[in-house]
């Protein structure tokens, strides 16, 4: 039950104290995000991890001046591919073949199915799909942070165009979709820290079909 205890401990931290998170913990959070399952194993996103104070300060206005952006130890920016291309798909499939040391006819047929379908779709549709995959990794990072005893704040309340411009993401074929400031809570300044966690009853959340 340790994981559930950690998830009950975590909350969307509203104030952080600027204390640095040990690199080992940051590495573990990154590794957890890397291990997230994604559609076709493409991992159609990148994660920008910012500890540079000047860059965090620059991003602050783009995030409605929410203090955790500047006061966190590390700011994780999850940025999804702006679309799927043949180059991106082939790079992913080639990596699988390289790591596994062989090619598989079924796998190659599946590669061709994606090449025949994804690149020709509307770019906005592709970005929306890629962003959903980024959110899976984001959830893994959030969970890993809790497991490491590190606070974090899930954030969609930001101007993605401004963030993309500051970080030069569009030039890399990326678009920001969610932020995760990681650090340690400032309990004296955080109005949410001692309030009970509220979730709707399981009867309103889960339908069991037996």
């Amino acid at each position: 039950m340790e994981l559930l205890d950690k998830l009950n401990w975590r909350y969307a931290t509203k104030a952080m104290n600027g204390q640095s998170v040990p690199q080992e913990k940051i590495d573990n959070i990154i590794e957890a995000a890397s291990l997230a399952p994604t559609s076709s194993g493409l991992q159609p996103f990148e994660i920008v991890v910012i500890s540079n104070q000047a860059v965090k300060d620059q991003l602050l206005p783009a995030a409605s001046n929410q203090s955790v952006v500047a006061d966190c130890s590390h700011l994780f920016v999850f940025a999804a591919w702006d679309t799927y291309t043949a180059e991106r798909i082939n790079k992913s499939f080639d990596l699988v073949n390289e790591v596994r040391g062989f090619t598989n006819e079924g796998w190659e047929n599946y590669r061709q199915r994606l090449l025949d379908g994804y690149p020709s779709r509307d770019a906005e549709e592709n970005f929306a799909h890629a962003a959903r995959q980024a959110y899976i990794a984001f959830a893994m990072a959030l969970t890993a942070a809790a497991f490491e005893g590190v606070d974090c704040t899930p954030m969609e309340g930001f101007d993605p165009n401004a963030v993309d411009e500051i970080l030069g993401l569009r030039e890399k074929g990326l678009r920001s979709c969610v932020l995760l400031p990681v650090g340690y809570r400032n309990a004296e300044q955080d109005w949410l820290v001692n309030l009970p966690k509220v979730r709707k009853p399981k009867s309103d959340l889960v339908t069991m079909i037996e």
Side-chain angles (χ1 to χ4, degrees):
M1 301 297 289
E2 182 181 2
L3 177 59
L4 293 183
D5 291 340
K6 295 288 189 179
L7 292 177
N8 273 300
W9 168 82
R10 68 147 300 277
Y11 72 107
T13 308
K14 301 304 181 185
M16 293 186 180
N17 62 16
Q19 180 182 346
S20 180
V21 175
Q23 188 61 46
E24 182 182 4
K25 291 180 179 289
I26 295 298
D27 291 342
N28 288 341
I29 295 169
I30 293 171
E31 182 66 14
S34 174
L35 291 171
T38 58
S39 179
S40 304
L42 293 177
Q43 293 183 286
F45 55 86
E46 294 183 20
I47 307 169
V48 182
V49 183
I50 304 162
S51 58
N52 182 287
Q53 191 60 49
V55 177
K56 289 188 293 181
D57 290 342
Q58 188 180 6
L59 289 168
L60 184 61
S64 302
N65 290 309
Q66 297 177 76
S67 64
V68 290
V69 169
D71 296 338
C72 67
S73 170
H74 292 70
L75 176 63
F76 283 59
V77 179
F78 289 80
W81 290 353
D82 56 1
T83 192
Y84 289 102
T85 65
E87 180 182 5
R88 282 171 159 169
I89 292 170
N90 281 324
K91 184 176 181 180
S92 178
F93 274 74
D94 290 346
L95 177 62
V96 171
N97 290 342
E98 177 185 343
V99 171
R100 293 179 175 170
F102 64 90
T103 58
N104 175 280
E105 182 179 359
W107 181 242
E108 292 305 316
N109 289 339
Y110 187 61
R111 180 207 297 254
Q112 194 58 51
R113 281 178 54 193
L114 297 191
L115 290 172
D116 290 341
Y118 280 21
S120 61
R121 296 192 313 192
D122 178 75
E124 196 63 31
E125 179 184 0
N126 278 339
F127 167 70
H129 183 270
R132 289 195 294 272
Q133 312 313 306
Y135 267 86
I136 300 173
F138 160 79
M140 295 285 275
L142 183 151
T143 302
F147 194 80
E148 294 289 340
V150 175
D151 290 300
C152 64
T153 310
M155 290 180 56
E156 286 186 318
F158 67 97
D159 180 349
N161 291 325
V163 170
D164 292 353
E165 182 177 354
I166 292 168
L167 299 179
L169 296 179
R170 296 298 177 100
E171 293 88 336
K172 300 176 182 178
L174 299 168
R175 294 169 58 182
S176 58
C177 53
V178 64
L179 308 182
L180 188 68
V182 170
Y184 295 107
R185 66 189 68 175
N186 183 344
E188 294 182 356
Q189 299 294 324
D190 194 339
W191 60 270
L192 189 57
V193 64
N194 291 319
L195 295 180
K197 188 184 291 290
V198 179
R199 295 293 185 272
K200 62 185 180 182
K202 298 300 188 298
S203 59
D204 294 340
L205 177 68
V206 180
T207 298
M208 302 294 291
I209 301 177
E210 299 177 344

